[in-house]
Amino acid sequence: MTVALSITDLQKTYPNGLVALRGIDLQVEEGDFFALLGKNGAGKSTAIGIISSLVNKSGGKVRVFDADIDRDFARAKSYLGVVPQEFNFSIFETPMQIVCNQAGYYGIGRKLAEERAGHYLRQLGLWEKREQMAQTLSGGMKRRLMIARALMHEPRLLILDEPTAGVDIEIRRSMWNYLTAINQSGTTIILTTHYLEEAESLCRNIAIIDRGRLVENTGMRELLGKLQTDAYVLDLAEPLRELPRGLPSSWELTGPNVLEADVPATGSLDALFEKLAGHNIKVRSMRNKTNRLEQLFLDMVEEEGA
Amino acid sequence: MNWKLAAVAYATIVRKETTRFLRIWQQSLLPPVITTALYFIIFGHLIGPRIGEMDGHRYIDFIVPGLILMSVITNAYANVSSSLFSAKFQRAIEELQVSPTPNFVILLGYVSGGVARAILVGVIVTSVSLFFSRLSMHSYLVTASMVFLTAVLFALGGFLNGLFARKFDDISIVPTFILTPLTYLGGVFYSIKLLPALWQAVSHINPILYMINAFRYGFLGITDIGLGFSYGITALFIAALFFLNLKLLNAGFGIRR
């Protein structure tokens, strides 16, 4: 299998003494949809900044496919498309100018650039806005514009740093579908996000960074398999004053009609409903208390912090 | 080195820079025209006749080349410093940083944008000056080459300022406190022969003096300084600034964290 991104002992200490990365090793295989998670300030954006030449590294090696970013920077950059966390285009230019200029920086002639611009701006729902100044676009449109811009040179590795931050759920879902389609067409994707359900539903492999160190690097299925229990919130048909005897003591009434219950990950929901039926408790609706990955993520970074 | 990529990237940067200053023509092209027209009216028509001749030429004809070059200097510098700082401020410079565009192409692209604006302003100011003076041309070659080299030099200076700038004030400090005084003291309004010996010697430290004199030679055929020396000084500054800028860019100074 070809390695799309290889990071070895990556270190970064900022001039003010802040140690952002403490020797990270990471490999992402070609074709993967990879999640890079971590709390704010964990070091994700610094790592992405180094890979994309926006940040000087203090030590370590980075290879993008067969190109070392120090020795063969032009080839490494040509493989790479980056969608940063913050808007980084001139707000006085139009989407058409922004994407065509970006293509030009990769040596793509104007004619081909305009063809591709038409393709990507249409696919991302920005064609109607192509001649409007970027400052007039909504937050979601600006995010999509950055995705279109990053795709103009058809990169083999696409890095998205919180691409759906501040985007409404409808657009977020359509962006998920779009990114899935890009990944299925062969583009390797690395995604950082604070929406953990996004990582869970899109990504096959995952790494978690905490305080500049990699605390987990595994497959999404393997990681979720580590989950001991699933927690549910049940909306009860009749109010309860107290938890009836015989029900697990770990269950908790958080309101007269709200029961929080945990179920072993290896167990079945039938057992939960049988217990409730035994006490004549009827359930109107139920939902997961937290996203499963969110629970694991919190456990891991808290454990590391302790 | 992929030369096709470099050529397309260069053309893209120049196009972007040109579009930028044409889009804001009220800020980039109009003010120098108004300012120099006022100079022509006040110094040329109102005060000039009382001064008489300077080096055998009418005073207004004597100051026109200096005023044209002053506009060229100011605009070459301001275009690049403000455009680069604005790109840093909006983080749009990252579009170039993540791309395989070589650093020398980035530098040449920005400088070419500054030169384009400076020459366009120079042409407009020259056209305006025709309403006030009897402009003759002694040497097209000297005039064209010196205006080009001066624009390149100050565009490089503007790039350096843009790299160092951390806030908007930083791009106005150099033009206000260094460029304007040096231009005024570089012989725009007088021949340095009028100065006492000591101040004539001091004036020779001012690089702008050499450019204004060579440019004036192109129009009037008179100069206080040898032409070869003027070209030499200008070329030296261009080379020094080019390599300094390139070294800073390669190190990521001012643009990489």
Side-chain angles (χ1 to χ4, degrees):
Chain A
M1 193 69 176
T2 308
V3 175
L5 177 71
S6 169
I7 292 175
T8 312
D9 193 25
L10 190 62
Q11 297 167 34
K12 174 65 185 178
T13 304
Y14 283 100
N16 63 4
L18 176 77
V19 183
L21 295 174
R22 300 166 191 269
I24 282 183
D25 296 296
L26 184 68
Q27 285 207 338
V28 178
E29 288 183 350
E30 184 175 24
D32 202 353
F33 205 136
F34 191 93
L36 186 61
L37 304 183
K39 291 194 291 191
N40 284 335
K44 309 180 300 289
S45 294
T46 297
I48 290 172
I50 291 171
I51 298 163
S52 53
S53 305
L54 300 176
V55 177
N56 284 328
K57 61 184 163 60
S58 307
K61 285 200 169 300
V62 178
R63 286 180 74 83
V64 183
F65 289 95
D66 57 344
D68 184 294
I69 64 160
D70 295 320
R71 282 180 301 193
D72 197 357
F73 81 94
R75 204 144 52 91
K77 285 175 170 182
S78 69
Y79 292 144
L80 200 63
V82 184
V83 180
Q85 202 178 110
E86 291 177 46
F87 301 129
N88 67 343
F89 47 77
S90 169
I91 54 170
F92 303 112
E93 289 176 2
T94 66
M96 196 68 176
Q97 288 172 328
I98 289 168
V99 295
C100 286
N101 286 343
Q102 189 68 19
Y105 303 150
Y106 286 82
I108 298 166
R110 206 70 183 180
K111 191 163 175 278
L112 180 58
E114 284 173 358
E115 279 172 26
R116 285 191 188 171
H119 174 72
Y120 289 115
L121 291 178
R122 277 192 186 91
Q123 281 202 329
L124 284 153
L126 293 166
W127 182 246
E128 303 301 320
K129 306 277 182 185
R130 67 189 180 281
E131 297 301 345
Q132 283 186 19
M133 252 190 219
Q135 67 178 344
T136 64
L137 301 180
S138 69
M141 287 175 182
K142 285 176 181 163
R143 294 238 167 257
R144 282 179 280 152
L145 173 59
M146 292 203 296
I147 294 176
R149 185 184 60 180
L151 292 170
M152 284 297 285
H153 64 290
E154 301 187 335
R156 292 172 70 186
L157 172 62
L158 181 64
I159 299 181
L160 302 128
D161 195 359
E162 299 187 27
T164 54
V167 169
D168 69 47
I169 188 67
E170 194 184 342
I171 293 173
R172 198 185 312 161
R173 297 266 173 194
S174 73
M175 281 165 80
W176 289 6
N177 293 337
Y178 190 67
L179 294 175
T180 304
I182 289 171
N183 177 243
Q184 283 168 352
S185 70
T187 307
T188 309
I189 296 182
I190 297 176
L191 171 80
T192 84
T193 178
H194 282 297
Y195 301 112
L196 299 187
E197 77 275 17
E198 185 167 281
E200 187 179 338
S201 59
L202 291 175
C203 301
R204 287 188 287 279
N205 290 298
I206 182 169
I208 297 176
I209 298 182
D210 189 38
R211 296 175 183 83
R213 285 200 179 84
L214 214 60
V215 295
E216 187 62 78
N217 183 8
T218 184
M220 187 67 76
R221 241 184 236 171
E222 288 79 3
L223 183 68
L224 293 173
K226 289 183 182 177
L227 205 63
Q228 303 295 316
T229 56
D230 287 329
Y232 296 96
V233 178
L234 307 169
D235 187 15
L236 307 179
E238 305 287 335
L240 281 180
R241 258 199 254 162
E242 57 182 20
L243 198 67
R245 282 189 177 185
L247 289 180
S249 58
S250 60
W251 292 14
E252 191 185 353
L253 270 172
T254 56
N257 288 68
V258 183
L259 175 66
E260 287 190 8
D262 50 13
V263 176
T266 51
S268 110
L269 283 176
D270 292 343
L272 178 142
F273 285 108
E274 275 169 23
K275 281 178 188 161
L276 293 172
H279 291 83
N280 203 25
I281 299 171
K282 291 194 174 69
V283 176
R284 194 184 290 149
S285 62
M286 71 181 290
R287 61 187 161 85
N288 274 96
K289 185 182 175 187
T290 52
N291 168 267
R292 296 183 304 162
L293 182 58
E294 193 170 305
Q295 189 57 54
L296 265 172
F297 174 76
L298 289 172
D299 289 349
M300 275 178 181
V301 294
E302 276 164 15
E303 197 176 284
E304 195 64 19
Chain B
M1 168 63 65
N2 181 340
W3 290 103
K4 188 203 163 226
L5 182 152
V8 174
Y10 170 76
T12 305
I13 300 170
V14 175
R15 182 184 183 135
K16 179 186 162 100
E17 286 300 295
T18 312
T19 307
R20 190 192 79 90
F21 77 69
L22 290 176
R23 186 180 62 229
I24 52 166
W25 64 271
Q26 303 94 324
Q27 294 169 49
S28 59
L29 302 180
L30 199 56
V33 175
I34 293 171
T35 310
T36 43
L38 288 171
Y39 277 122
F40 292 143
I41 292 167
I42 295 165
F43 289 96
H45 270 262
L46 300 179
I47 300 173
R50 291 167 189 264
I51 294 172
E53 289 194 341
M54 184 82 65
D55 278 355
H57 292 271
R58 288 195 316 153
Y59 186 64
I60 184 146
D61 297 336
F62 180 85
I63 64 169
V64 162
L67 289 173
I68 295 169
L69 206 64
M70 192 165 80
S71 303
V72 167
I73 289 171
T74 313
N75 281 278
Y77 193 94
N79 194 72
V80 182
S81 62
S82 61
S83 177
L84 180 60
F85 179 71
S86 173
K88 279 169 59 174
F89 185 75
Q90 295 187 69
R91 304 180 74 153
I93 192 73
E94 292 178 4
E95 292 177 335
L96 277 163
Q97 286 178 271
V98 300
S99 80
T101 304
N103 284 333
F104 80 89
V105 173
I106 297 176
L107 179 58
L108 286 178
Y110 270 95
V111 167
S112 300
V115 170
R117 171 168 153 189
I119 289 178
L120 184 56
V121 167
V123 168
I124 296 171
V125 169
T126 306
S127 308
V128 172
S129 75
L130 295 175
F131 290 102
F132 300 93
S133 67
R134 292 193 297 265
L135 208 56
S136 59
M137 189 64 76
H138 179 75
S139 166
Y140 283 101
L141 182 66
V142 171
T143 307
S145 60
M146 193 42 76
V147 79
F148 176 75
L149 292 173
T150 305
V152 170
L153 195 161
F154 285 94
L156 284 164
F159 194 92
L160 188 65
N161 193 169
L163 282 180
F164 275 90
R166 289 172 183 273
K167 50 188 190 303
F168 276 105
D169 291 347
D170 295 344
I171 55 170
S172 62
I173 287 172
V174 176
T176 307
F177 294 105
I178 299 174
L179 270 190
T180 306
L182 283 182
T183 311
Y184 281 19
L185 298 171
V188 172
F189 297 105
Y190 56 86
S191 163
I192 61 161
K193 288 174 196 155
L194 297 177
L195 299 174
L198 172 69
W199 289 108
Q200 277 195 39
V202 171
S203 292
H204 281 86
I205 303 169
N206 181 357
I208 295 177
L209 175 79
Y210 301 93
M211 293 160 219
I212 289 177
N213 268 279
F215 191 62
R216 185 175 286 135
Y217 175 85
F219 281 102
L220 306 177
I222 52 164
T223 178
D224 295 335
I225 318 276
L227 267 190
F229 199 64
S230 294
Y231 276 104
I233 290 278
T234 311
L236 190 71
F237 272 96
I238 288 174
L241 280 175
F242 181 82
F243 288 110
L244 177 61
N245 274 317
L246 199 56
K247 192 174 165 60
L248 291 171
L249 257 187
N250 287 338
F253 181 86
I255 54 171
R256 239 186 276 160
R257 286 165 274 153

